[in-house]
Amino acid sequence: MATIKMVAERAGVSTATVSRALSEPELVQPDTRRRVQNAIDALGYVPNFAAKSLRMLRTRKIVVMVPDVSNPFFAEVIRGAEDAAQAAGYSLLLGDTRDDADREAQYADMLLRKEADGLIFLGHRVPGKLVKLVQQKGFSAPVVNACDFSPALGVASVHIDNARAAAEAINLLLSMGHRRIALLAGPDSSHLTRERLEGARRAAAMAGIADQLIVAHGDYTLESGVALAAGVFDTDTPPTALFCFSDEVAIGALATCRDRGIVCPDDVSIVGFDDVRYARFQSPPLTTIRQPMKLIGMEAVELLLAVLNGSAGERPWITLPHDLVVRGSTGPATQR
């Protein structure tokens, strides 16, 4: 059976170079990689990490970390990632982290142990165990963020312009005469939340109503939408419009309206974010910001492969287009 030493001797390199060519090919000169590959082919050498493709010298596996696999937004992103991975001959390893740092560490270890070629995370932070790797390699680290983009993360990313999208949602409500607008936001720890808040506040400030915005923080779940809507409706001057930072939150808010006899959009207009598949089937159909969810997943995989191949560029940040989809959950403001 061929050994790594035999491969090194045939290729005229050290065993360390062979190991590096197998584990971190981007750090090895192309002609050296070719000599190593030719030696592997000639000797029939199979590395200990046998799952690696001998032609590409990789595991052909990608870890995708998801904060909440039950969220329909993430489900569509994953579907796009799966399609792109399959087309490129890769498999996805899905990790439902539930936004838990210990779970994130377990999946990060798979990358550090070379059990996967790269990692895509859909949350708001680089897994702690990968911080050193990202600091050392910068944008050449095999780590990509999708959805919750922040420049401070220092990794390749695929996202939309969340601030601009939020401003468009507020401007729609302003055009309908709404001035008492509540923002049912996500956690303040999320850069995505802060971006949407920034865009909403900027649009409100331009209309001279920044001090009238009501901001309520929760998470991006149905349950949070129910609770946050109940809270803002219980104020002395309840809002005439809600801008919800996810469709799940908006659907939860609609449930609160039904429970309280509040008619949407006659009494209150509601705007969501994402345009998940259930949005248009609500009663009334949900006005929302449409994210290209499947495309985000596809682009994240393609960007990761570009990073692995050294062709991602100096600052690989991809901003995809979004759309404001107006449906029946928004209408002219009324005074209650």
Side-chain angles (χ1 to χ4, degrees), residues 6-322:
M6 294 167 63
V7 172
E9 290 174 350
R10 188 179 185 94
V13 299
S14 68
T15 55
T17 298
V18 174
S19 178
R20 190 176 302 112
L22 292 170
S23 61
E24 297 180 294
E26 70 275 8
L27 301 182
V28 180
Q29 291 295 322
D31 61 336
T32 303
R33 290 203 308 268
R34 282 193 293 271
R35 294 207 313 273
V36 171
Q37 183 61 59
N38 289 338
I40 287 173
D41 292 340
L43 295 171
Y45 173 68
V46 179
N48 288 336
F49 39 100
K52 290 204 173 203
S53 162
L54 291 179
R55 185 176 66 85
M56 296 297 293
L57 304 178
R58 292 177 180 161
T59 67
R60 316 294 292 182
K61 293 183 177 68
I62 297 170
V63 174
V64 179
M65 295 192 335
V66 188
D68 180 4
V69 75
S70 68
N71 186 309
F73 169 80
F74 291 127
E76 284 298 306
V77 174
I78 293 166
R79 177 171 290 184
E82 176 72 19
D83 286 350
Q86 287 287 324
Y90 277 74
S91 299
L92 292 189
L93 304 174
L94 183 62
D96 182 14
T97 66
R98 305 177 195 178
D99 209 22
D100 179 82
D102 290 336
R103 288 174 179 264
E104 291 172 0
Q106 293 176 16
Y107 293 106
D109 276 337
M110 297 184 69
L111 180 63
L112 296 175
R113 292 195 301 261
K114 311 296 184 184
E115 294 172 6
D117 296 331
L119 181 144
I120 297 170
F121 66 100
L122 307 186
H124 63 274
R125 63 186 172 219
V126 175
K129 287 198 171 185
L130 298 182
V131 170
K132 185 176 180 180
L133 175 68
V134 168
Q135 290 174 341
Q136 289 176 339
K137 293 193 172 185
F139 290 113
S140 66
V143 180
V144 168
N145 168 251
C147 309
D148 201 344
F149 169 69
S150 168
L153 294 174
V155 297
S157 179
V158 179
H159 52 275
I160 68 166
D161 187 336
N162 283 281
R164 181 178 176 184
E168 291 174 8
I170 295 300
N171 285 331
L172 171 68
L173 294 172
L174 291 170
S175 72
M176 294 177 170
H178 295 281
R179 295 297 180 269
R180 297 199 311 273
I181 301 171
L183 310 181
L184 306 192
D188 194 41
S189 60
S190 165
H191 187 80
L192 181 150
T193 295
R194 295 194 294 272
E195 273 200 328
R196 293 178 186 175
L197 280 174
E198 177 190 345
R201 285 171 168 153
R202 184 168 63 240
M206 291 183 67
I209 64 155
D211 58 345
Q212 297 183 48
L213 288 180
I214 303 168
V215 180
H217 286 282
D219 54 36
Y220 291 101
T221 64
L222 291 163
E223 293 80 5
S224 184
V226 170
L228 293 179
V232 298
F233 287 148
D234 285 337
T235 58
D236 292 336
T237 54
T240 64
L242 308 178
F243 173 35
C244 305
F245 281 23
S246 78
D247 284 347
E248 282 211 31
V249 170
I251 293 169
L254 280 170
T256 295
C257 289
R258 287 192 294 271
D259 289 345
R260 295 185 172 219
I262 298 171
V263 180
C264 175
D266 295 350
D267 299 325
V268 64
S269 287
I270 297 179
V271 179
F273 208 112
D274 295 333
D275 198 25
V276 299
R277 61 188 302 184
Y278 309 114
R280 67 183 183 274
F281 298 114
Q282 298 304 304
S283 180
L286 190 62
T287 293
T288 187
I289 298 291
R290 175 182 292 158
Q291 294 204 64
M293 295 168 282
K294 192 171 181 181
L295 183 59
I296 288 173
M298 296 176 70
E299 291 284 353
V301 168
E302 291 177 7
L303 180 55
L304 177 59
L305 297 181
V307 170
L308 291 171
N309 294 329
S311 59
E314 293 184 1
R315 183 165 293 186
W317 294 338
I318 298 175
T319 304
L320 297 176
H322 62 271

